[in-house]
Amino acid sequence: MKGDILPSGDLLECVAESLRYADCDKGERVLVAVSGGVDSMVLLDALVRLWVDWPLDLCVVHLDHCLRGESLEDERFVSQEAQRRHIAYKSRRCDVAAFAAERNLSIEQAGRECRYAFFSEVAAEVGATKVVLGHHMDDQAETVLMRLLRGSGVSGLKGMALLRDKFYLRPLLSVRRLQIETYAQERNILFREDATNKDQRFLRNRVRGELLPLLRQYNPHIVESIYRTTTVLHSEDAFVEEMAQNALNIALVECCVDKIALDVPCLVGYHIAVLRRVIRAVLQGFSNGKGPYDFARIEKII
């Protein structure tokens, strides 16, 4: 599976292959993030259908972002679907707009932070060892293009990982949106439409509705091409990151609360790609992981 696009005609096999890749054990407690949209509803259906061969202990989790008037209906719909399928269910309401204003974040970033905090808390509460998310190949292409527009290095352009931190799993990452919609139609799966998906105030929606259609004029298979590129970048990023960590370990002279001392003659002998990552790691060590640290600042230090 590494680096390859899974068979386009078999969504179930894509999900099963992802479960094998993530070493999911039978009976393992897993959270399924379900918004009520077509992606997450199809993912939930696929996991239920695979239960005979992969009897995971599922728990549906839903976060109400309180951004739309119909969000309460979304929560009710997901709750009823979980109950109909006899699956445990956890939900929470979070005022994402207020959180964004308080932290000076975009709505998208605030929503992401709230979601992942919620997932972590529920996982700890119920003893779940993985969270399964409904991101697909088109989401990956949009994410990479957004990061490219904002300016990003390899770590950003590699996009989302199939399995992150051995905890967050995206079984549909090698599946196109059209495949998911076709599956939903064939299986008569009910789902909720999110009106904000067409709101042009959000960059992702503009990338989806304007930029990607334009890029398809140059390459009709642009989404698949970006996916293949991300699989390559994931491997190469992991390799350079390992080299950078080794370089930091060798060059580190002293590390305490207010000082990190490096052996400069040793450090400057490394390739510039490794050196940049070492500097970024040092800066993050001084600020408890906060950032980002832009190219100009890192170059100035080097």
Side-chain angles (χ1 to χ4, degrees):
M1 173 166 168
K2 296 178 181 178
D4 295 327
I5 298 177
L6 293 172
S8 60
D10 195 344
L11 185 147
L12 270 183
E13 178 54 31
C14 290
V15 175
E17 183 66 16
S18 296
L19 296 177
R20 284 190 286 270
Y21 176 82
D23 293 325
C24 290
D25 296 322
K26 294 180 179 180
E28 183 175 352
R29 170 143 279 206
V30 172
L31 304 184
V32 189
V34 180
S35 66
V38 63
D39 309 330
S40 58
M41 291 304 300
V42 163
L43 176 59
L44 178 61
D45 184 80
L47 290 170
V48 170
R49 290 181 68 190
L50 288 168
W51 192 87
V52 174
D53 298 318
W54 235 292
L56 299 173
D57 185 4
L58 301 177
C59 176
V60 168
V61 289
H62 175 87
L63 181 68
D64 181 354
H65 294 64
C66 301
L67 293 173
R68 298 176 293 116
E70 60 268 28
S71 64
L72 286 175
E73 287 300 318
D74 294 344
E75 192 280 331
R76 188 176 294 111
F77 169 77
V78 175
S79 173
Q80 291 173 347
E81 283 296 309
Q83 185 177 9
R84 183 175 70 85
R85 296 172 184 270
H86 306 289
I87 300 174
Y89 176 72
K90 296 282 186 179
S91 68
R92 179 181 298 171
R93 301 193 77 204
C94 179
D95 190 339
V96 169
F99 182 82
E102 177 186 337
R103 305 292 179 90
N104 194 28
L105 300 171
S106 69
I107 292 293
E108 293 165 294
Q109 180 62 27
R112 184 180 186 279
E113 291 193 13
C114 290
R115 284 194 301 276
Y116 282 94
F118 171 57
F119 298 154
S120 296
E121 290 175 21
V122 176
E125 177 186 338
V126 303
T129 51
K130 287 185 180 67
V131 180
V132 182
L133 306 165
H135 300 113
H136 48 72
M137 194 188 297
D138 294 71
D139 289 328
Q140 181 76 299
E142 293 162 10
T143 296
V144 170
L145 289 172
M146 288 167 63
R147 292 177 180 177
L148 181 63
L149 291 170
R150 289 168 174 160
S152 180
V154 172
S155 296
L157 296 180
K158 70 183 181 181
M160 297 176 284
L162 171 65
L163 179 63
R164 179 166 68 87
D165 302 329
K166 298 183 179 180
F167 186 66
Y168 294 104
L169 177 63
R170 299 178 172 92
L172 300 178
L173 203 56
S174 59
V175 180
R176 290 294 311 275
R177 179 183 286 115
L178 181 59
Q179 293 172 247
I180 293 171
E181 293 170 348
T182 300
Y183 180 101
Q185 185 176 19
E186 291 175 351
R187 293 275 299 164
N188 295 317
I189 294 175
L190 299 176
F191 58 89
R192 298 275 297 175
E193 293 281 2
D194 186 347
T196 62
N197 287 335
K198 297 180 180 179
D199 190 335
Q200 295 301 298
R201 291 176 298 173
F202 297 113
L203 177 59
R204 180 176 293 274
N205 294 341
R206 297 198 300 276
V207 168
R208 180 186 304 144
E210 299 172 1
L211 182 55
L212 272 170
L214 178 62
L215 292 175
R216 288 192 187 98
Q217 296 178 26
Y218 295 89
N219 180 358
H221 305 291
I222 185 64
V223 170
E224 290 86 351
S225 295
I226 291 174
Y227 177 81
R228 284 190 291 270
T229 299
T230 62
T231 61
V232 173
L233 291 180
H234 267 281
S235 300
E236 296 187 358
D237 181 68
F239 175 71
V240 178
E241 189 63 30
E242 182 178 348
M243 292 187 65
Q245 187 57 56
N246 290 336
L248 178 57
N249 292 339
I250 293 171
L252 187 63
V253 175
E254 182 181 356
C255 182
C256 57
V257 174
D258 58 353
K259 179 171 69 174
I260 296 177
L262 303 174
D263 181 342
V264 175
C266 167
L267 194 60
V268 296
Y270 285 95
H271 191 281
I272 187 65
V274 173
L275 187 52
R276 284 175 180 143
R277 290 189 182 228
V278 170
I279 298 302
R280 183 183 296 111
V282 170
L283 289 172
Q284 290 174 330
F286 271 129
S287 58
N288 298 320
K290 295 180 180 179
Y293 300 102
D294 59 31
F295 179 81
R297 183 175 179 185
I298 291 173
E299 292 302 292
K300 183 176 180 180
I301 293 173
I302 291 174

